[in-house]
Amino acid sequence: MSIVEKIEGNIKVAVITVSDTRTKETDKGGRLVIEYLKEMNTTVDEENHFIVADDKEEITKAMERLLDKDIDAIITTGGTGIARRDVTIEAVRPLFDKEIEGFGEIFRMLSFTEDIGSRSILSRAAAGTSGRTVIFTLPGSTGAVKLAMERLVVPELNHCVHELNK
């Protein structure tokens, strides 16, 4: 991992994996997100790392529980594609006060040029803010997680949290 920036202060992050099949033992994407976050000196409490079924209501409930806590950032993995069960975006987007359109646009561009080529059009990765919390919704594959964390989330997380709290 090539972490460029350490976090200033104690940023609290929650990680949600959206999947009908993953367990904490098989959740490679969620664990990878946490590995990057640990290198950045953020705090991810075990109670704020969990797996939620590919179900719009379950995802929304999990997000709302976290938004009621003192969490600076929420990162989700999984459920961002176009399959019938992929409903993470539909669950999360209504919670945004402001959408960060550039995140999804740049993620798809990077995915196209550096990872999966034209299959990147199927990605619906998104980001936004809710109150003082920044939310990143990432695809579930480890390649997508690595790309998003290294190229977008890690370089901008500190700045996003700072902007939401000034």
Side-chain angles (χ1 to χ4, degrees):
M1 285 181 237
S2 58
I3 301 300
V4 179
E5 177 179 336
K6 294 284 186 181
I7 294 298
E8 298 170 12
N10 184 24
I11 292 180
K12 296 176 187 165
V13 185
V15 177
I16 299 174
T17 297
V18 178
S19 175
D20 288 331
T21 59
R22 298 275 189 253
T23 64
K24 284 223 178 170
E25 293 75 34
T26 62
D27 176 21
K28 293 178 185 175
R31 281 197 317 250
L32 187 56
V33 168
I34 290 171
E35 286 177 32
Y36 280 100
L37 293 171
K38 283 182 179 176
E39 280 196 36
M40 297 172 68
N41 296 330
T42 62
T43 301
V44 183
D45 293 330
E46 190 58 35
E47 68 186 40
N48 294 327
H49 169 223
F50 46 91
I51 298 172
V52 175
D54 278 310
D55 177 83
K56 186 177 176 183
E57 188 174 310
E58 292 295 317
I59 299 165
T60 300
K61 283 181 188 175
M63 294 294 294
E64 288 173 340
R65 271 196 322 268
L66 290 169
L67 290 170
D68 284 341
K69 293 183 173 187
D70 183 26
I71 300 287
D72 297 302
I74 302 169
I75 301 174
T76 72
T77 66
T80 63
I82 63 167
R84 191 172 295 155
R85 294 287 294 166
D86 291 332
V87 295
T88 302
I89 301 300
E90 288 75 17
V92 173
R93 191 170 269 148
L95 302 173
F96 291 164
D97 295 328
K98 296 181 180 181
E99 186 161 0
I100 305 170
E101 291 90 352
F103 176 82
E105 295 164 355
I106 293 172
F107 176 79
R108 283 181 286 281
M109 187 259 321
L110 291 170
S111 293
F112 178 78
T113 59
E114 298 181 18
D115 192 20
I116 59 173
S118 61
R119 287 189 179 179
S120 62
I121 67 170
L122 303 178
S123 175
R124 299 181 309 132
T129 65
S130 183
R132 291 185 176 201
T133 303
V134 63
I135 301 166
F136 296 98
T137 58
L138 314 180
S141 76
T142 55
V145 168
K146 183 178 189 292
L147 182 70
M149 293 301 290
E150 286 184 5
R151 299 294 302 274
L152 300 170
V153 177
V154 169
E156 294 304 322
L157 182 60
N158 191 51
H159 184 228
C160 289
V161 171
H162 172 74
E163 287 295 311
L164 289 173
N165 287 285
K166 67 179 187 178

